[in-house]
Amino acid sequence: MLAGKNSDDLKAIREVLSSAHFAVQHVGSFAEVEELWLQHRHHAVLLDVDNHESVAQALLAATQIKRHSSQQFLGYLADPILRSSGLAGDAIFARDARTLPEALLRCFEQEPGHGLQSS
């Protein structure tokens, strides 16, 4: 699952991940994350944090998911300046759509228990 506020950025990220054979469900807002996760139990949840105002909303969504399943993989897509703003999860990835598929694969090779695979 991929969630965030900037639909243009998310569309580009989704397209790149899809072309790398990842199945991606795009969620248009952080408020929808918990409900959709409860329905589908995605292997990974990625929250796109594109500015300081998004941090609190992303953290709330992350906390809601982790309350249901502390083992759920939860990662953030964030620019370097936002990485020290209190984001708490399993990983923080650069918001660069071109490098994200490889970074995800590397991450899950190191953490095989999360079960994320590209087809």
Side-chain angles (χ1 to χ4, degrees), residues 13-53:
I13 292 167
R14 188 175 113 213
E15 288 175 6
V16 168
L17 289 175
S18 294
S19 69
H21 307 288
F22 287 95
V24 181
Q25 180 176 13
H26 167 234
V27 180
S29 75
F30 295 121
E32 299 174 57
V33 170
E34 181 181 21
E35 180 181 337
L36 287 174
W37 182 85
L38 286 169
Q39 292 173 13
H40 301 285
R41 305 289 174 143
H42 300 84
H43 291 291
V45 175
L46 299 175
L47 304 175
D48 182 44
V49 181
D50 63 348
N51 60 53
H52 287 287
E53 290 79 30

Side-chain angles (χ1 to χ4, degrees), residues 54-92:
S54 296
V55 171
Q57 295 170 352
L59 286 172
L60 177 60
T63 301
Q64 292 169 333
I65 297 297
K66 288 290 192 173
R67 280 187 191 140
H68 292 288
S69 174
S70 62
Q71 298 302 311
Q72 172 64 50
F73 181 85
L74 197 128
Y76 298 95
L77 308 179
D79 293 326
I81 195 165
L82 295 173
R83 290 180 182 210
S84 62
S85 60
L87 298 175
D90 298 301
I92 300 176

